[in-house]
Amino acid sequence: MADAAGLAPVLSTPATHAFEADVHSTIPSPQPLRSPEQIAIRYEIERTVAEIKRGRWKRIALQFPDNMLPDAPAVFEYLSQRLAELSTIVKNSSKQLEDHSPVITETLDETTSKSSLEKLYILADTSYGTCCVDEIAAEHVNADVVVHYGKACLSPTARLPVIHVFTCQPLAMDLVIESFKSLYPDYDQSIILMSDVTYAGHLPQISTLLKDQGYVSIFTTEIVHNPSSPLPNRTVPVTVELDPTILSQWRIFHISDPSDSLLLTLSARVMSIHVFHTATERSTATAVSAAVALRRRYALLTAVSTVPVFGILINTLSVKNYLHVVEHVKSCISAAGKKSYTFVVGKINAAKVANFAEIGAWVVIGCWESSFIDSHDFWKPILTPFELELALVGDDQRVWTGEWNADFQSLLRETKRRSIGVSVGKASTHEWDPLAITHDSGETDSEPESAPPEFDLRTGRYISHSRPMQVPETIESISSHSKGHHQLVRRAKGDMATIGNHVSPGAEFLRSSRTWNGLGSDLEIEYDLPRDNIDGALIQEGRSGLARGYLSALSETRT
């Protein structure tokens, strides 16, 4: 019995089960291999090669989403072959012109030498969302251009040029026409044809077929690189360009399921939205509404209005002007008397953000599609910059119109327009400017006791530190009254913790909420005693040896 107790337990997997297959594996099965003709058409090999040659780029990064990675080696091979073939043609042409024109020959030789250095790289994993161009991974190979395949948010990039290949997907045209006619029996209705970028190539043919059957007021959208458009990244009718409010008179027929961000954006701008679902075996079109989702978002932002500490999650490093909106969000939070911390965690998931318990709510800085994250599985709510501005407005000033916007570029332009209006004296006195809080609330900052109380709208509880950064007296004024460098001052009840002479809500959370204070936390240090009389924990020799039999200075062996 003693020998059995002294042996370590068997924790390894038995050898008979070492190589058994996992029947519950979630790894998706690879797609069937496509023919060279299918690869050339779907991934637009010829157009990609032509743009690479036109731009004279040497190092090309190929970015694939996960579902297209099985085709990545074939696309890599075909692109390499076509680039080499064109380089050979240019080289042979230069030899034929060598005797006729030395100047042209020299130019062609230079072009050939540049083309011979072209190298392709496959980006198999993205730093953030697959809809965004991964400039970070591309810069690891010093790429000159990124070829982005599949769905794209089309947000402007900060550093590298981009070639977008949307990979046109097959579509059952007969079912689309049949569903459209069943939804819109009136041929005079104003209808906008939209689709995901992977189905955009079918829209002209669908529009032609519908007009041949008698529909007279159909507008077919085209792809543009403008997330701030009334229809994000799509063209709009001429009348809508002149007056965006006219868009509310149009209906949208959308092919494939739109993203949640797009659906929330369009819900308050158009009359109705019908979606033709392409993922089901029997594709059908149904009416969709974002009313329930909008009510949930409004309840979410009103619930975080009393949160004292916000976390800023940077979900992109390539979208243009993302640093500007980070600074804008910081200034809005600071102007409201709250604290913010900035985090860069890569791809966002619930486990990562749950490590920071002191954060009361999160604000995501990303592209207009990835900024919207359903926080159902997260411990704390996740907002967009647009929702944050509404959350920071007082309950008596907040007005919910149903409008929802995920594009922070338009948010920056609106903020700039408000600041210009205020500077020239034309802004409305009732228009809220988060950047002006620090100037207009000086009286509140000087006398926080006279500020109206704040309550949590969900629980009805009184919130005592909703604006922790609006403190009447900082630690500098306290330390100025200290008699000596080593003299300690007793902290008044309710005072916030400070670090480096600044109020720190994070430190206050650790001081008041943590359950373990580190080694020696079982000893109470008497701070009121003189400095030389403070007693700390005694240094003792700990255990040593293996876990199955520790050695200690007090006993020979512990098992």
Side-chain angles (χ1 to χ4, degrees):
M1 296 293 294
D3 295 339
L7 295 177
V10 178
L11 301 178
S12 61
T13 304
T16 56
H17 304 285
F19 296 98
E20 287 187 358
D22 184 8
V23 296
H24 300 289
S25 176
T26 58
I27 299 177
S29 58
Q31 297 178 351
L33 296 178
R34 298 184 174 90
S35 63
E37 292 77 13
Q38 292 176 334
I39 293 291
I41 295 174
R42 174 163 296 186
Y43 293 94
E44 303 182 32
I45 300 298
E46 294 300 327
R47 181 179 72 86
T48 305
V49 170
E51 293 199 23
I52 292 174
K53 288 294 185 181
R54 188 181 303 113
R56 295 188 177 184
W57 293 303
K58 301 177 183 179
R59 306 173 72 89
I60 301 97
L62 310 178
Q63 180 180 340
F64 293 88
D66 293 341
N67 61 331
M68 295 183 183
L69 282 178
D71 293 334
V75 175
F76 179 93
E77 181 180 355
Y78 296 147
L79 284 176
S80 301
Q81 291 178 356
R82 287 296 297 153
L83 290 172
E85 290 174 0
L86 291 181
S87 299
T88 303
I89 294 174
V90 173
K91 184 176 181 180
N92 293 336
S93 300
S94 63
K95 291 181 179 180
Q96 295 177 3
L97 296 175
E98 182 177 358
D99 298 333
H100 301 281
S101 177
V103 177
I104 297 179
T105 302
E106 182 179 356
T107 304
L108 291 175
D109 289 340
E110 181 182 357
T111 304
T112 303
S113 62
K114 292 182 178 181
S115 300
S116 61
L117 298 177
E118 292 163 345
K119 294 184 178 181
L120 304 179
Y121 303 88
I122 297 177
L123 306 182
D125 189 18
T126 55
S127 302
Y128 296 97
T130 57
C131 66
C132 299
V133 178
D134 194 353
E135 289 187 331
I136 304 302
E139 289 182 347
H140 290 169
V141 296
N142 295 324
D144 300 322
V145 65
V146 178
V147 183
H148 185 278
Y149 294 96
K151 294 184 178 181
C153 60
L154 300 179
S155 299
T157 55
R159 293 174 290 273
L160 294 178
V162 184
I163 300 175
H164 284 284
V165 179
F166 300 128
T167 62
C168 185
Q169 302 293 325
L171 182 65
M173 304 292 291
D174 296 338
L175 293 178
V176 174
I177 300 300
E178 180 183 348
S179 300
F180 187 94
K181 294 175 64 177
S182 63
L183 290 173
Y184 309 108
D186 187 0
Y187 288 8
D188 296 332
Q189 297 182 65
S190 300
I191 305 169
I192 296 177
L193 286 179
M194 283 187 65
S195 72
D196 186 80
V197 292
T198 57
Y199 295 95
H202 300 288
L203 291 184
Q205 182 181 358
I206 296 174
S207 176
T208 301
L209 293 175
L210 292 174
K211 290 180 180 179
D212 292 341
Q213 298 190 20
Y215 288 92
V216 296
S217 183
I218 292 180
F219 178 80
T220 305
T221 58
E222 298 179 359
I223 297 176
V224 293
H225 294 253
N226 184 16
S228 302
S229 172
L231 299 177
N233 293 323
R234 299 298 188 274
T235 56
V236 296
V238 178
T239 55
V240 176
E241 293 181 357
L242 300 176
D243 185 6
T245 60
I246 298 180
L247 187 61
S248 60
Q249 303 174 6
W250 289 79
R251 300 169 174 85
I252 287 183
F253 182 81
H254 195 280
I255 299 176
S256 78
D257 295 329
S259 62
D260 295 336
S261 179
L262 177 61
L263 187 60
L264 289 174
T265 301
L266 296 179
S267 60
R269 299 183 182 181
V270 298
M271 182 180 297
S272 64
I273 304 174
H274 289 85
V275 175
F276 181 82
H277 306 281
T278 58
T280 59
E281 296 181 358
R282 176 64 179 178
S283 300
T284 57
T286 57
V288 295
S289 174
V292 176
L294 285 174
R295 288 197 294 267
R296 290 176 179 173
R297 302 304 295 183
Y298 181 68
L300 191 68
L301 64 92
T302 53
V304 303
S305 60
T306 56
V307 168
V309 182
F310 285 88
I312 302 175
L313 279 174
I314 298 180
N315 197 32
T316 180
L317 294 177
S318 58
V319 177
K320 188 177 181 181
N321 293 332
Y322 81 93
L323 289 177
H324 293 78
V325 76
V326 171
E327 295 301 324
H328 171 72
V329 169
K330 286 183 179 180
S331 62
C332 290
I333 296 175
S334 177
K338 302 175 183 292
K339 180 65 176 178
S340 65
Y341 297 93
T342 305
F343 301 85
V344 181
V345 297
K347 293 182 179 180
I348 300 175
N349 57 50
K352 289 181 180 179
V353 298
N355 290 319
F356 309 99
E358 61 271 26
I359 303 299
W362 298 92
V363 184
V364 176
I365 309 298
C367 71
W368 69 277
E369 285 194 357
S370 63
S371 293
F372 175 81
I373 298 178
D374 188 1
S375 54
H376 177 74
D377 296 330
F378 289 79
W379 189 31
K380 296 298 176 63
I382 300 181
L383 308 177
T384 65
F386 171 78
E387 293 170 336
L388 174 69
E389 286 197 353
L390 288 176
L392 296 180
V393 179
D395 296 335
D396 56 339
Q397 299 178 359
R398 185 184 302 114
V399 177
W400 178 255
T401 63
E403 180 72 17
W404 196 87
N405 190 1
D407 178 43
F408 65 73
Q409 306 284 355
S410 59
L411 188 66
L412 291 176
R413 286 193 295 269
E414 179 65 18
T415 302
K416 183 178 180 180
R417 185 192 64 80
R418 288 200 302 259
S419 62
I420 294 176
V422 171
S423 62
V424 298
K426 296 182 180 180
S428 173
T429 56
H430 299 284
E431 186 175 14
W432 177 78
D433 187 357
L435 300 181
I437 294 180
T438 54
H439 304 290
D440 298 338
S441 57
E443 182 179 354
T444 303
D445 291 345
S446 60
E447 298 181 4
E449 295 82 1
S450 61
E454 296 191 42
F455 298 90
D456 190 331
L457 296 180
R458 296 176 303 169
T459 62
R461 294 186 306 173
Y462 171 69
I463 307 299
S464 59
H465 289 98
S466 175
R467 305 179 186 274
M469 306 311 292
Q470 290 182 352
V471 291
E473 186 178 14
T474 60
I475 194 64
E476 291 90 345
S477 60
I478 298 177
S479 60
S480 62
H481 299 289
S482 300
K483 298 181 180 180
H485 179 70
H486 299 293
Q487 185 172 357
L488 299 177
V489 179
R490 180 184 294 273
R491 182 177 58 240
K493 184 177 180 180
D495 284 355
M496 298 284 292
T498 59
I499 294 180
N501 297 340
H502 296 283
V503 175
S504 175
E508 174 64 22
F509 177 87
L510 294 178
R511 182 182 67 85
S512 59
S513 303
R514 64 182 176 182
T515 58
W516 185 72
N517 297 323
L519 297 177
S521 58
D522 55 334
L523 300 176
E524 295 183 0
I525 300 178
E526 300 177 355
Y527 284 107
D528 293 335
L529 297 177
R531 183 178 180 85
D532 297 336
N533 296 334
I534 295 179
D535 296 330
L538 297 177
I539 300 178
Q540 300 178 354
E541 183 180 355
R543 295 180 181 182
S544 62
L546 301 178
R548 58 179 293 186
Y550 286 116
L551 299 179
S552 175
L554 300 180
S555 61
E556 296 181 357
T557 305
R558 292 186 181 181
T559 59

